[in-house]
Amino acid sequence: MSSLCFLFFSNTSYEAYSLGGAWIEFWLGPAIVALSIPLYEQRKTLLKFIIPLGVPVILATFLGIVTGVSFAGIAGLSEELMYSILPKSVTTPIAMDIASILDGDPSIAALLVLVAGVSGVLFADITFRIFKIDQNLAKGIGLGAAAHGIGTANAMENGQVQGAASSVSMTLCAILLSIFTPIIALVFMY
């Protein structure tokens, strides 16, 4: 939201903004690949907890899509904006591809992913305290599902188990969202 305000009030053209965003998109790919190292190192722990890891990721993915559709419907947004909101719960490059396939605006999708990631990290600690979540595995799952790449980077700072769980969560969300989004778009929007 702050990016939209900045563009509006600074009279910055979308083309100039998009040019700067291209650099961010370029570096997101290698950053995500770098997350595979702790994932490999924690593979035994993750396999041991596959069900507790998978169930919340499936629920988070589904809820992310449904909340996007619900918000867009309540707000009476255009079809293009609806399709841009749907992939908000996944990493930026995948969200942009999904939005493009659905005839949404990839740039808006990227912005919404960024907002979700930053707000997810900002509210993570207070959410963990309120709900008394103290397990690193659970924290990692939550950060990966809610805050994607930014959340996973934050989880990495808190240890390898949390970072690996976040990587798995983020990856599973991306796979599931890629499958669920077109189906839900067809069901809810037509």
Side-chain angles (χ1 to χ4, degrees), residues 9 15 30 115 145 152 172 177 186:
F9 290 114
E15 289 76 21
V115 168
T152 300
L172 289 175
L177 194 100
L186 287 172

Side-chain angles (χ1 to χ4, degrees), residues 32-167:
I32 291 170
V33 171
L35 298 173
S36 64
I37 295 168
L39 185 62
Y40 176 77
E41 291 174 351
Q42 296 297 321
R43 68 189 179 281
K44 290 179 184 174
T45 302
L46 295 170
L47 287 172
K48 182 178 174 185
F49 295 105
I50 194 74
I51 299 297
L53 195 129
V55 171
V57 169
I58 292 168
L59 290 173
T61 304
F62 184 73
L63 286 173
I65 297 169
V66 170
T67 57
V69 169
S70 299
F71 171 77
I74 290 168
L77 299 177
S78 70
E79 222 173 77
E80 180 184 22
L81 282 175
M82 284 185 180
Y83 292 141
S84 303
I85 290 172
L86 279 178
K88 70 178 172 32
S89 299
V90 74
T91 61
T92 304
I94 295 170
M96 292 176 74
D97 285 344
I98 291 171
S100 180
I101 290 167
L102 295 174
D103 291 330
D105 185 331
S107 299
I108 293 173
L111 178 64
L112 293 171
V113 169
L114 180 65
V115 168
V118 169
S119 61
V121 168
L122 288 175
F123 293 109
D125 286 337
I126 193 165
T127 303
F128 295 151
R129 271 186 266 141
I130 289 170
F131 293 101
K132 296 178 177 30
I133 298 170
D134 57 1
Q135 298 289 331
N136 281 326
L137 190 67
K139 288 179 177 182
I141 293 168
L143 282 167
H148 331 299
I150 295 171
T152 300
N154 182 261
M156 290 293 196
E157 293 175 5
N158 299 322
Q160 279 200 339
V161 171
Q162 197 176 120
S166 187
S167 290

Side-chain angles (χ1 to χ4, degrees), residues 8-30:
F8 179 76
F9 290 114
S10 69
N11 202 22
T12 302
S13 72
Y14 176 76
E15 289 76 21
Y17 170 77
S18 183
L19 181 64
W23 282 103
I24 293 170
E25 186 179 346
F26 173 78
W27 287 109
L28 275 174

